[in-house]
Amino acid sequence: MKPSAHALVDIGANLGNKAFRDDLPAVLQRAAAAGVHDVVVTGTSVGASTEALALARTGDAPVRLWATAGIHPHHAKTWGPRATQSLRELCQAPQVRAVGECGLDFDRNFSPREDQLACFEAQLELAAELGLPVFLHERAAHEDFYAIMQRWRPRLRAAVVHCFTGDERALLRYLDLDLHIGFTGWLTDTRRGQHLVPLARRIPASRLMLETDAPYILPKNVRPTRERRNEPALLPHVLAAVALARGEPEAEVAAASTGTARAFFGIAAP
Ligand SMILES: [Zn+2]
């Protein structure tokens, strides 16, 4: 791994995923060596959020770990008042910096749409109540998602559409709502991500953040190895692709996105 001069924040990594069960300490060492100073560990269910918080409480990691607490739309059918109460309790921990990931996924509909809508709104309510930012997931659900966010945005401190993969109209509507945008290695995908390349320039630096979404979405500009797993140490590849798309130096995009992420999650510089 080449050393990186750029201090980065990975705003979304699923480090509780079983893909990292055997070698998380080495994964974190590589992240630190790659310049990734902070990783926000994504919570996708009550169980996964509990695990994300446990990781974030590990004091001796070579990178600083933070957590989100939420229920992914895929798991919306597990939602109920008890789950909201569990999330509320997790959010009391100072390491939990956002509610989510939450939102709508009508691409795969692993949970019924009615469950997704109820689970999503319950988490927006919780974020509004607690004054926490929201970490959002939207896939093939722009119209419903946008209508809900239009209603809720005034009550929310801040919100990021993580792993944005939508079209120009969706992007401009999200920016109009004063939402932040998270970019992963999706734009390096020559088959399904090329529409994002011109859109990368349309995002003000103060709203753009970088993430790996590890272990998913291995950037295609990583030299292929046997390893198909994405990890936070590969965030510089997302940076490189976004900087190229924006026509800006990597150092500039790194500094801006890191500053934006620190402000969004309330993370002080180390
Ligand atoms: Zn997601």
Side-chain angles (χ1 to χ4, degrees):
M1 186 62 59
K2 73 173 169 28
S4 166
H6 311 303
L8 297 173
V9 178
D10 186 349
I11 69 153
N14 302 275
L15 295 184
N17 188 286
K18 62 184 185 307
F20 297 113
R21 195 185 298 152
D22 294 336
D23 65 342
L24 188 58
V27 166
L28 297 177
Q29 288 291 353
R30 285 195 291 275
V36 180
H37 291 196
D38 296 272
V39 177
V40 183
V41 183
T42 311
T44 53
S45 65
V46 170
S49 301
T50 305
E51 201 169 331
L53 173 57
L55 286 174
R57 280 178 166 150
T58 317
D60 57 352
V63 300
R64 291 190 303 186
L65 298 176
W66 311 91
T68 70
I71 300 173
H72 190 285
H74 287 343
H75 302 301
K77 54 176 177 258
T78 68
W79 174 79
R82 259 218 351 239
T84 304
Q85 186 51 30
S86 301
L87 294 180
R88 182 181 284 110
E89 284 162 20
L90 288 168
C91 287
Q92 304 308 315
Q95 293 86 356
V96 173
R97 292 306 169 107
V99 172
E101 79 177 278
C102 60
L104 301 175
D105 193 317
F106 295 166
D107 182 31
R108 289 189 275 180
N109 283 311
F110 286 157
S111 283
R113 290 186 181 200
E114 312 76 67
D115 290 354
Q116 293 192 36
L117 292 163
C119 179
F120 183 24
E121 294 219 45
Q123 292 177 81
L124 294 175
E125 173 92 59
L126 183 66
E129 172 196 323
L130 300 176
L132 281 170
V134 195
F135 191 83
L136 298 163
H137 173 105
E138 181 264 302
R139 193 76 76 238
H142 171 70
E143 293 302 333
D144 294 79
F145 180 92
Y146 177 70
I148 290 172
M149 287 310 296
Q150 251 186 326
R151 273 196 287 115
W152 279 93
R153 183 64 187 93
R155 293 183 55 193
L156 299 170
R157 188 173 109 196
V160 57
V161 180
H162 111 96
C163 191
F164 178 81
T165 57
D167 61 13
E168 179 184 30
R169 177 163 170 273
L171 177 68
L172 297 180
R173 288 172 103 191
Y174 294 156
L175 290 173
D176 264 355
L177 272 187
D178 194 23
L179 304 184
H180 284 66
I181 304 292
F183 256 42
T184 60
W186 196 279
L187 83 166
T188 64
D189 190 323
T190 50
R191 195 168 51 83
R192 49 181 194 172
Q194 288 313 289
H195 69 286
L196 294 175
V197 172
L199 295 186
R201 295 175 179 258
R202 310 287 295 273
I203 306 167
S206 60
R207 305 266 205 93
L208 174 64
M209 301 189 278
L210 306 178
E211 51 176 329
T212 57
D213 204 20
Y216 313 113
I217 319 184
L218 179 71
K220 305 283 190 207
N221 56 355
V222 173
R223 199 171 296 136
T225 58
R226 221 158 28 89
E227 181 69 81
R228 301 305 303 158
R229 180 185 70 175
N230 194 6
E231 61 176 71
L234 300 176
L235 192 62
H237 293 267
V238 178
L239 168 68
V242 170
L244 189 66
R246 288 171 70 84
E248 291 170 359
E250 286 182 24
E252 196 176 312
V253 177
S257 63
T258 294
T260 299
R262 292 208 170 118
F264 184 91
F265 291 101
I267 297 172

